[in-house]
Amino acid sequence: MRQIAALPYRKTGPELNAPIEVLLVTSRGTGRWVLPKGNRMKGVVNHAAAELEALEEGGVVGSICPAPLGSYQYRKQLNSGASLQVEVVVFPLAVTQELDSWKEEAQRTRRWFSLREAAENVAEPGLRDLMRGFSPADFTAAASGLPLPGGFRSVREGFRMFHWFQALLPRQGQFFDLFEAHAQTVTAGGDALSRLFQGGAGMAQHVKEIVEREEEADTITREVLVSVRKTFLTPFDRGAIISLIGAMDDAIDQMQQTAGAIDLYDVREFTQEMRDMTAIIVDASRLIAEALPMLRDIHGNAARLHELTERLVRMEGQADDIHAKGLKNAFKQFGKTDTMRFIVEREIYSHLEKVVDKFEDVANEIDGLVIDHA
């Protein structure tokens, strides 16, 4: 048997490395804590079915990434007495709204847990492993008793190793801080883009936020370029620093261009494929946000960095498939009857594809740093 599940998550603050919380619900039979899950639905793609389960069982709405985190197995006790093996495919859901009332509120309890607490409360070992892989830093910090990192300011305050490292190489400038600050704008921009593609009354505000985030990113990029020229000793090759910050800046530039096209053409309705691509962008920005602080200890984090970049590359391939499907559907529906609408949708798809492509470029830059320095 195969089932699908959503992993509804949210950050506890705006900082780059703010701890993650996961929403669990109680099962109707045993009352134990589980992810919102269910059987696959005929005629509905798996991630969309998982999104519906999260809405009905947990009353949450957001962007669900079409690329699964992985899967786990458990045994399901049937009414006949048989115990069958079930494989559950899990999709990350970045929650943007928590409803006050939902379909199964009378049948289930929902609760937000820290990622570590959620892993301790679920019964399936495979699911615990998936949660650990979702954000290993949350488990490491909790186990060590250190405060979780919360952006570049709290990193300096909370980790003595970083103080020591910066003191040892005082001429390195603040490149790590700037990388992480830029990643924070990219993450915020991705979240705003996702909310924009959900439509509704606040679309103009989401467009404005994306523009502001892009301007913040440009300021950080200029500071990096100035620092590269002024700093005697840099943590990585100057060309690698410029390429990395350039790829990151290209990603949020493409987000701004996507939002600009939507505003220009006054687009109010979006296809499922468009929303799927924005969900990939949200998850890609989450992975970048995890990866950038790891560059401070690139040797110690080499294995995890490789895992993250490998996933980013796979997600880019999946986004290409979604892009092709959406473009084909748009041509079939509007190519001969509403040419202007087809042109507009094609442009939006093109911008979204370029955003994901830029995230792959960031992944490749990080991979190159790992190869050169780890």
Side-chain angles (χ1 to χ4, degrees):
M1 297 178 62
R2 296 197 69 184
Q3 293 183 326
I4 44 82
L7 180 72
Y9 73 92
R10 67 184 182 187
K11 285 191 171 184
T12 56
E15 299 86 1
L16 184 64
N17 288 327
I20 288 174
E21 290 184 332
V22 172
L23 183 81
L24 298 180
V25 299
T26 53
S27 66
R28 285 183 292 193
T30 63
R32 63 187 180 88
W33 293 108
V34 297
L35 292 178
K37 69 178 188 298
N39 297 324
R40 292 183 294 176
M41 302 177 186
K42 186 176 182 179
V44 181
V45 293
N46 287 340
H47 67 280
E51 183 180 26
L52 184 59
E53 295 292 348
L55 174 62
E56 293 181 351
E57 296 184 7
V60 288
V61 178
S63 293
I64 191 157
C65 183
L69 285 175
S71 63
Y72 67 94
Q73 295 181 341
Y74 76 99
R75 286 204 165 271
K76 183 178 180 65
Q77 191 74 35
L78 304 181
N79 293 333
S80 65
S83 176
L84 299 183
Q85 189 83 358
V86 181
E87 181 182 16
V88 185
V89 181
V90 181
F91 298 88
L93 172 68
V95 174
T96 57
Q97 184 180 6
E98 189 174 356
L99 304 180
D100 294 329
S101 179
W102 67 100
K103 184 176 180 179
E104 298 186 11
E105 62 176 320
Q107 305 170 42
R108 302 178 187 273
T109 299
R110 67 180 181 187
R111 183 184 302 172
W112 289 98
F113 293 87
S114 71
L115 196 57
R116 183 179 181 85
E117 291 172 340
E120 292 172 349
N121 276 278
V122 297
E124 301 84 1
L127 178 54
R128 288 197 291 270
D129 291 341
L130 279 182
M131 289 181 175
R132 292 189 181 98
F134 189 65
S135 181
D138 284 37
F139 291 88
T140 302
S144 65
L146 290 173
L148 283 165
F152 47 89
R153 182 179 301 164
S154 61
V155 167
R156 290 200 303 270
E157 294 171 353
F159 289 89
R160 294 180 181 178
M161 181 179 293
F162 295 159
H163 282 295
W164 172 83
F165 186 69
Q166 290 173 348
L168 182 64
L169 298 173
R171 294 169 293 175
Q172 280 201 348
Q174 297 299 313
F175 291 107
F176 294 121
D177 290 351
L178 293 171
F179 288 153
E180 293 165 25
H182 198 292
Q184 191 165 333
T185 67
V186 171
T187 301
D191 291 342
L193 189 70
S194 172
R195 293 192 298 272
L196 175 62
F197 274 79
Q198 291 176 13
M203 290 181 62
Q205 296 171 350
H206 301 321
V207 170
K208 184 177 181 180
E209 180 180 358
I210 294 168
V211 171
E212 291 174 350
R213 297 295 187 178
E214 191 273 337
E215 292 171 351
E216 292 173 6
D218 280 347
T219 300
I220 297 168
T221 299
R222 285 193 293 271
E223 189 170 349
V224 170
L225 297 179
V226 170
S227 296
V228 165
R229 293 196 298 270
K230 292 184 175 180
T231 305
F232 175 74
L233 181 62
T234 57
F236 309 122
D237 177 79
R238 282 173 168 77
I241 291 173
I242 293 171
S243 296
L244 175 58
I245 199 68
M248 293 169 62
D249 203 51
D250 287 345
I252 196 163
D253 283 348
Q254 286 297 330
M255 292 183 201
Q256 190 273 331
Q257 291 184 37
T258 306
I262 291 170
D263 187 47
L264 174 65
Y265 299 120
D266 197 25
V267 181
R268 297 293 170 182
E269 297 179 358
F270 304 99
T271 66
Q272 182 62 51
E273 287 80 13
M274 291 177 183
R275 289 193 292 270
D276 287 347
M277 292 184 75
T278 60
I280 286 179
I281 290 168
V282 169
D283 207 44
S285 65
R286 177 185 65 83
L287 298 179
I288 294 298
E290 180 183 346
L292 265 295
M294 292 185 179
L295 296 181
R296 293 176 181 266
D297 180 14
I298 196 168
H299 179 77
N301 294 316
R304 178 60 180 173
L305 284 167
H306 181 68
E307 289 177 10
L308 296 175
T309 56
E310 189 178 56
R311 177 169 169 80
L312 283 164
V313 172
R314 290 199 307 269
M315 289 165 62
E316 190 276 336
Q318 188 160 4
D320 282 346
D321 294 339
I322 297 170
H323 168 262
K325 179 182 177 182
L327 199 58
K328 185 174 182 178
N329 289 341
F331 181 75
K332 286 182 177 180
Q333 189 172 0
F334 305 115
K336 296 180 180 179
T337 60
D338 192 346
T339 305
M340 182 54 67
R341 179 162 181 177
F342 169 71
I343 291 172
V344 170
E345 291 205 358
R346 182 179 64 181
E347 182 172 345
I348 294 173
Y349 276 119
S350 176
H351 285 307
L352 289 172
E353 182 187 32
K354 289 176 182 176
V355 177
V356 183
D357 286 346
K358 296 307 177 183
F359 277 118
E360 184 185 27
D361 291 344
V362 176
N364 291 335
E365 294 296 335
I366 293 173
D367 238 4
L369 291 174
V370 173
I371 292 171
D372 290 342
H373 295 275

